[in-house]
Amino acid sequence: MTKVEDRKERKNTLRQQFVFRMLIVLLTISGLSAVFQYYYLGNQIDHNVKGEAIKIAYSIEQGIHETNSASRAIENQLDLRLKVIAQRVSDRLGTKTIDNITNEELKAISEEFDIAGITIFAQQEDDIVGVKSTAPSDIGFSFKKTLGPENEAFIGISNLLNGKEITQSTESYVDQNTIILYTTQSGSNQDETSLYKYAYYHGEGQDYVINLYIEANEVYQFTQKVGPNNWIEKVLKTNSLAKEVAVLDPNVYADPSLAEKLYPPLQKVVYGEFNLADRKDEDILASIAKEPKETAYITEIDSRKIYKMFIPMDNGKVIFVALDYTAMILPVKKISTFLLITSFISLLAMFILSTQFFNSIYKNIQVIISQIKKLELGDFTSRSEVKGKGELADLSASTNHMTETLNKVLRETTKEASKVQRMSLGLKEEADESVEKVYDLSIDLTSKAREDAYNISDFLELVEEKIKNLPNKDDIEHILLKTEEIRQISDNRSESTTDITITLFDLLKSLQNQSDELSEISSKLFENMYKFKL
């Protein structure tokens, strides 16, 4: 793989890495956003659903409290009325014994005081039984057999008849000689649907208990009109998310036999309807009877998710609320989907803009890289053009300026190399000629010098022979010394001339060699300079 291919691969990898990393960031942010929305909106949905259920339960509980307060006021008025009537009936019977009291007399008294009926209960062994009554069905009615020996009502009536202390538990009104029950259905006439208010009164000196009762449908009608059932009906009409609302008695679910008790009247569904009940709900209610705690869960009924919530009340009852969970989460799902789509579109737009911006930067970088590649190949005429402003534009301008500077320097260098080449060639020619001339001249001078030296030496030898024959020896010695000095000088000059010519020849020869080297260097430099495109 060549360097160019390797760089190309690296450039492609850089672009791929950028796109890949941007995609990873896009997918990561989208994923995290989806997960965050899933958990956050899920928790928010649960919070809103729970809040809606609690709000409905609170309104129902408030309605129950208000209705109970109003009903209690009505019950209290009825209690006071029954108390007064019971005292007057007791006064009317006076000291009569049970045998002296007739059913007709009781009917007359009940008509006189405008009450539903009167029953006389007396002790028979360990039981309390109805012995005289305006209603034939009440005669023979046994508290012990009907309610059981452990029933609070049976124990209360026994204590009332025997003058024992009576403690109020589930009664509407209690004093030392009176017990008045809450409005309930008749225990002897199960076929009757009317509700009655029962009062039990034990007069002083009487060995029986007077039980008088009045119809109390006005209490029932009041509770039906403004009571919990009415509140529940309003909630179901005004709140499309509420599928079912009811007030339940968890104790009856824990012990179903309580529904069979005559008094106090107990039933699983106190108010409202509980048609969505299943086995799990019954188990939850049974557990709430033992340990009251708020319980909620989501179930699926007829392909729709239903949110069920059980909220214990202070009075031991439980408010049940069933909400359409599918309908409640639908708007949130739509919002969540909208947010995810808009977030993804925003991230996608950011990805596209970032990619386009990177591509523009990448193209400008490629332009500069292409210019640098041409510079690398010796083309100093290349220019790069980066539009706009910024660091890349500055880099392009700097690269162009550098190219122009190098182009100018190389042009000047080429000119100077050309001059050096021409000068080196001239110097080489002149050195070649000078070497030949010096060589010829040195040979001539050396030959002439040596010839002159030989001639002078011959002459001096002749002179010496002649002088030696002269008679004056002192002058001869002096002359001989002078002639020897002249011979020495002649030899020295001959040698000097030879040395000078040799040295000059060597110098010119060295100059010739250097001129050759300079010519080669200038040629090489000039050759290299021609590789550049200027």
Side-chain angles (χ1 to χ4, degrees):
M1 184 182 290
T2 63
K3 291 184 178 180
V4 176
E5 291 175 345
D6 184 56
R7 290 174 183 171
K8 185 176 181 181
E9 183 179 351
R10 286 200 300 269
K11 286 187 297 184
N12 292 336
T13 302
L14 179 62
R15 175 180 285 179
Q16 291 172 358
Q17 285 181 356
F18 176 79
V19 175
F20 177 74
R21 289 177 182 177
M22 288 297 294
L23 283 174
I24 290 297
V25 171
L26 172 66
L27 295 176
T28 301
I29 294 176
S30 300
L32 291 176
S33 177
V35 171
F36 173 77
Q37 289 191 41
Y38 175 79
Y39 283 104
Y40 176 76
L41 292 179
N43 293 333
Q44 190 65 31
I45 289 172
D46 293 340
H47 177 75
N48 292 341
V49 173
K50 182 179 179 180
E52 184 69 20
I54 291 176
K55 182 172 68 175
I56 292 174
Y58 178 76
S59 65
I60 298 300
E61 187 174 9
Q62 286 295 108
I64 291 174
H65 288 322
E66 293 175 4
T67 303
N68 288 342
S69 297
S71 298
R72 188 70 189 92
I74 296 175
E75 291 262 5
N76 188 46
Q77 294 295 324
L78 293 176
D79 292 343
L80 296 177
R81 177 186 172 191
L82 282 175
K83 170 70 174 177
V84 172
I85 294 176
Q87 289 176 337
R88 295 179 65 182
V89 170
S90 177
D91 292 339
R92 182 66 58 87
L93 295 177
T95 58
K96 289 183 179 181
T97 62
I98 294 177
D99 296 334
N100 295 327
I101 301 174
T102 63
N103 293 331
E104 289 73 13
E105 183 181 7
L106 295 178
K107 287 181 180 180
I109 294 174
S110 63
E111 290 176 358
E112 179 183 354
F113 291 104
D114 193 21
I115 58 178
I118 301 174
T119 301
I120 302 298
F121 286 94
Q123 184 85 34
Q124 290 184 358
E125 297 180 355
D126 58 348
D127 194 4
I128 297 177
V129 180
V131 292
K132 298 291 178 69
S133 177
T134 56
S137 59
D138 285 348
I139 298 175
F141 176 82
S142 168
F143 273 96
K144 185 176 181 181
K145 292 180 181 179
T146 305
L147 302 180
E150 304 297 330
N151 184 267
E152 294 180 359
F154 171 69
I155 297 174
I157 298 298
S158 297
N159 292 337
L160 177 66
L161 181 60
N162 297 314
K164 297 181 180 179
E165 183 180 0
I166 304 171
T167 56
Q168 186 173 2
S169 176
T170 58
E171 295 81 7
S172 175
Y173 178 89
V174 171
D175 60 20
Q176 62 181 4
N177 56 5
T178 308
I179 295 177
I180 301 177
L181 305 182
Y182 285 106
T183 302
T184 185
Q185 193 172 351
S186 173
S188 56
N189 294 320
Q190 299 296 330
D191 296 333
E192 295 183 10
T193 57
S194 298
L195 298 178
Y196 293 93
K197 186 77 170 171
Y198 290 91
Y200 298 90
Y201 183 84
H202 181 218
E204 185 176 354
Q206 295 175 339
D207 57 353
Y208 50 85
V209 172
I210 301 172
N211 166 223
L212 54 90
Y213 51 94
I214 61 174
E215 286 191 15
N217 286 330
E218 61 267 27
V219 178
Y220 175 77
Q221 292 171 358
F222 173 79
T223 55
Q224 289 298 312
K225 186 176 181 180
V226 298
N229 286 324
N230 184 62
W231 281 88
I232 291 172
E233 185 178 351
K234 287 182 179 179
V235 168
L236 294 176
K237 286 182 178 179
T238 57
N239 194 330
S240 60
L241 300 176
K243 303 297 292 181
E244 201 167 76
V245 180
V247 178
L248 310 173
D249 192 339
N251 296 309
V252 181
Y253 283 91
D255 183 7
S257 63
L258 295 177
E260 301 173 0
K261 291 176 60 177
L262 178 63
Y263 191 84
L266 299 177
Q267 50 189 344
K268 292 182 176 181
V269 182
V270 181
Y271 303 108
E273 295 182 352
F274 193 35
N275 297 323
L276 299 178
D278 55 22
R279 182 62 185 175
K280 183 176 181 179
D281 298 333
E282 294 178 358
D283 293 339
I284 290 174
L285 288 167
S287 65
I288 291 177
K290 299 177 181 178
E291 183 181 357
K293 65 177 180 179
E294 186 179 290
T295 306
Y297 72 97
I298 299 173
T299 186
E300 188 169 342
I301 300 175
D302 296 333
S303 71
R304 294 189 69 83
K305 290 185 177 180
I306 303 298
Y307 180 86
K308 293 183 177 182
M309 190 170 191
F310 301 87
I311 304 173
M313 298 173 61
D314 295 336
N315 60 0
K317 302 296 188 292
V318 172
I319 297 178
F320 167 73
V321 179
L323 301 176
D324 190 340
Y325 190 81
T326 301
M328 293 190 74
I329 65 175
L330 183 60
V332 181
K333 280 187 175 181
K334 290 181 178 179
I335 294 173
S336 177
T337 304
F338 175 77
L339 290 175
L340 285 175
I341 292 174
T342 53
S343 299
F344 183 77
I345 292 175
S346 300
L347 291 172
L348 183 61
M350 183 185 72
F351 170 75
I352 294 173
L353 292 175
S354 300
T355 304
Q356 290 179 346
F357 179 71
F358 177 80
N359 285 336
S360 65
I361 294 175
Y362 183 77
K363 289 178 181 178
N364 292 333
I365 293 175
Q366 286 298 99
V367 170
I368 297 174
I369 290 176
S370 177
Q371 181 186 14
I372 294 174
K373 276 186 176 182
K374 291 180 180 180
L375 292 175
E376 184 181 5
L377 296 174
D379 184 2
F380 285 87
T381 62
S382 64
R383 297 290 184 272
S384 61
E385 183 179 357
V386 176
K387 297 180 181 180
K389 297 180 181 180
E391 288 78 1
L392 290 178
D394 294 340
L395 178 60
S396 175
S398 298
T399 306
N400 291 335
H401 181 69
M402 179 188 69
T403 303
E404 292 173 0
T405 302
L406 289 174
N407 190 305
K408 183 177 180 181
V409 170
L410 291 174
R411 283 178 181 275
E412 294 295 330
T413 305
T414 303
K415 291 179 181 180
E416 295 301 323
S418 180
K419 289 181 181 180
V420 171
Q421 188 182 37
R422 290 196 299 270
M423 292 176 65
S424 63
L425 290 174
L427 180 61
K428 185 177 182 301
E429 292 176 358
E430 292 177 1
D432 291 341
E433 293 176 0
S434 298
V435 168
E436 292 179 359
K437 290 180 180 180
V438 171
Y439 180 73
D440 294 338
L441 180 61
S442 63
I443 292 175
D444 291 342
L445 289 175
T446 302
S447 298
K448 188 177 181 180
R450 287 180 178 179
E451 185 179 352
D452 291 343
Y454 289 147
N455 290 332
I456 292 172
S457 178
D458 291 340
F459 174 73
L460 291 176
E461 287 179 358
L462 291 175
V463 173
E464 285 178 350
E465 289 178 359
K466 295 295 183 180
I467 291 173
K468 287 178 179 180
N469 295 325
L470 291 177
N472 193 349
K473 297 298 183 179
D474 293 334
D475 293 335
I476 291 172
E477 291 293 332
H478 178 70
I479 291 170
L480 289 174
L481 289 173
K482 291 295 182 181
T483 55
E484 185 63 32
E485 289 179 1
I486 291 171
R487 183 183 289 110
Q488 187 68 36
I489 290 171
S490 175
D491 291 339
N492 290 337
R493 286 182 177 178
S494 175
E495 291 177 1
S496 296
T497 300
T498 302
D499 291 339
I500 289 172
T501 55
I502 293 172
T503 301
L504 182 59
F505 178 78
D506 293 338
L507 177 61
L508 290 174
K509 191 66 177 175
S510 176
L511 181 61
Q512 184 186 28
N513 293 333
Q514 291 180 4
S515 66
D516 289 339
E517 291 180 2
L518 181 60
S519 178
E520 290 178 2
I521 292 172
S522 62
S523 298
K524 186 66 176 177
L525 177 60
F526 196 71
E527 181 183 350
N528 290 335
M529 297 305 291
Y530 270 104
K531 292 180 180 179
F532 298 109
K533 185 178 180 181
L534 303 174

